[in-house]
Amino acid sequence: MPTEPGAAPPANTHVSTVTDGIATVFTWDEGARIEVRNLGREIVIEANSAGLKTLARHLLTLAQEGTPDGAHLQLEEGNGLEAGSASLVLERCDDTSPPPETP
């Protein structure tokens, strides 16, 4: 992953995860910059072109046939996101039941 906090991962970064015995590989485009801000009732994801393509590819990776329910990628400050970013979890959930209500 990045060598300094807030730096985008280098072009050759590949992250492999294994869920239910299925390997999933996530890659970053060179120069990808992604920042996530939590503004209370609104989340802002700000990214350059390379960052948007990277996020899109991450989502398409999770959407692939055979990817198990619960497969996810956690991005954090210094681990795929810019300094000062809120954490972001991309997770596949094929459960069709409604989410629990929040108080």
Side-chain angles (χ1 to χ4, degrees):
M1 293 308 297
T3 56
E4 57 186 76
N12 61 355
T13 297
H14 300 276
V15 175
S16 297
T17 63
V18 178
T19 305
D20 294 342
I22 309 264
T24 306
V25 178
F26 297 94
T27 61
W28 275 256
D29 282 359
E30 183 174 358
R33 187 190 61 74
I34 305 166
E35 182 179 343
V36 178
R37 294 189 309 271
N38 182 343
L39 303 178
R41 294 186 46 86
E42 183 173 72
I43 303 297
V44 175
I45 299 174
E46 181 182 282
N48 62 6
S49 178
L52 291 171
K53 289 174 186 175
T54 295
L55 281 174
R57 195 171 37 262
H58 291 345
L59 292 169
L60 288 170
T61 297
L62 288 168
Q64 287 179 14
E65 188 70 33
T67 300
D69 196 41
H72 67 279
L73 176 65
Q74 183 163 349
L75 303 172
E76 299 172 325
E77 176 181 347
N79 184 27
L81 299 179
E82 293 290 304
S85 289
S87 295
L88 176 65
V89 177
L90 307 175
E91 182 174 350
R92 179 169 179 148
C93 179
D94 293 321
D95 184 3
T96 58
S97 60
E101 291 188 28
T102 56

